[in-house]
Amino acid sequence: MVGLVGKKIGSSMIFSKEGNLIPVTIIEVNKNRIVQVKNLKNDRYSAIQVTTGIKNKNRINRPKSGHFIKHNVLPGRGLWEFRVKEKNNFFSGQILSISILKNFNKVDITGFSKGKGFSGTIKRWNFRSQDNSHGNSLSHRAPGSIGQNQTPGRVFKGKKMSGHLGNKKVTIQNLSIVRINDKDNFLFIKGTIPGFSNSDVIIRPSIKVKR
């Protein structure tokens, strides 16, 4: 399903026509340029590869630079793909603008969550802490037992333990579009979305909405 690549600007609040205060996240959606159209014959799957923004050609490596030159498209700050049907009318150099979202009320947004470094089980997995009294003086935030007896005598894979929190690919579905600003290429989404300010996000029409 075709989508757009945007940049998260930050959070704000706006008033609806009824006077209700709505918390929103602002996304800047500059024009996306189609770099390559992939098909079943040559690539074994159908998709369009897009880029956005402008990047100095001296700041990208030779393989990427040659890829942009081959398809006669200005270098962007990255490459993203969207799966499409085999029979489509897309072509290299085509511009996708924020206007393609005007017919949709709900979108799914994908981004990388904020990295929070090493975290314990209480913060990472919402474990409850142990007693603060009754003889417990050192293990208030310890996870407790993680293994079994002699059989099987090991810790199972996937056990919820301390470790790196955040910095993972996250998708939030069915987010409402509050407003679209064609002039400044701003998209106002109700609520919060993954990622930090100035991070890239992928916007797709919601897959759970019947059309």
Side-chain angles (χ1 to χ4, degrees):
M1 187 177 293
V2 180
L4 292 171
V5 179
K7 181 186 289 186
K8 179 180 177 179
I9 301 301
S11 300
S12 184
M13 293 179 291
I14 61 175
F15 286 96
S16 65
K17 294 180 179 179
E18 295 77 19
N20 298 322
L21 187 65
I22 304 174
V24 295
T25 300
I26 305 172
I27 304 174
E28 183 180 14
V29 186
N30 290 320
K31 293 179 180 179
N32 286 205
R33 303 184 297 280
I34 296 180
V35 179
Q36 181 183 3
V37 180
K38 298 190 175 183
N39 54 54
L40 289 173
K41 182 178 179 180
N42 298 326
D43 307 286
R44 296 186 178 181
Y45 68 100
S46 301
I48 57 171
Q49 188 182 73
V50 303
T51 188
T52 183
I54 301 295
K55 195 168 185 178
N56 192 320
K57 63 181 180 179
N58 296 324
R59 303 295 295 176
I60 58 177
N61 56 32
R62 284 188 175 183
K64 283 187 178 181
S65 178
H67 184 66
F68 284 112
I69 293 172
K70 177 183 177 180
H71 297 283
N72 196 27
V73 177
L74 287 174
R77 64 171 186 266
L79 291 170
W80 295 265
E81 285 190 2
F82 297 100
R83 292 294 184 102
V84 295
K85 295 180 179 179
E86 176 62 18
K87 294 182 179 180
N88 57 72
N89 298 320
F90 297 110
F91 57 89
S92 295
Q94 183 178 351
I95 301 298
L96 302 177
S97 67
I98 195 173
S99 60
I100 68 174
L101 296 175
K102 282 189 173 181
N103 296 327
F104 302 98
N105 296 322
K106 301 278 188 176
V107 291
D108 299 338
I109 296 183
T110 302
F112 280 86
S113 60
K114 292 181 180 179
K116 299 180 183 298
F118 187 90
S119 298
T121 53
I122 292 178
K123 183 176 180 179
R124 192 182 187 202
W125 300 111
N126 199 29
F127 280 17
R128 67 175 292 274
S129 59
Q130 297 189 35
D131 293 338
N132 289 326
S133 58
H134 295 283
N136 189 348
S137 58
L138 296 174
S139 305
H140 304 299
R141 297 179 68 87
S145 176
I146 61 172
Q148 290 77 33
N149 295 325
Q150 184 173 352
T151 304
R154 63 186 176 87
V155 179
F156 291 130
K157 290 182 179 179
K159 183 70 175 176
K160 293 180 179 179
M161 299 178 67
S162 303
H164 193 135
L165 175 62
N167 195 29
K168 291 185 177 180
K169 194 174 184 179
V170 179
T171 299
I172 298 182
Q173 297 180 322
N174 278 352
L175 292 170
S176 300
I177 297 177
V178 178
R179 187 180 299 171
I180 297 177
N181 186 336
D182 291 336
K183 184 178 179 181
D184 299 316
N185 295 323
F186 286 145
L187 180 66
F188 295 83
I189 299 294
K190 184 177 181 180
T192 59
I193 65 173
F196 51 87
S197 297
N198 293 324
S199 63
D200 293 317
V201 294
I202 298 173
I203 309 156
R204 293 185 179 91
S206 179
I207 61 174
K208 291 185 176 180
V209 176
K210 294 182 179 180
R211 296 181 180 85

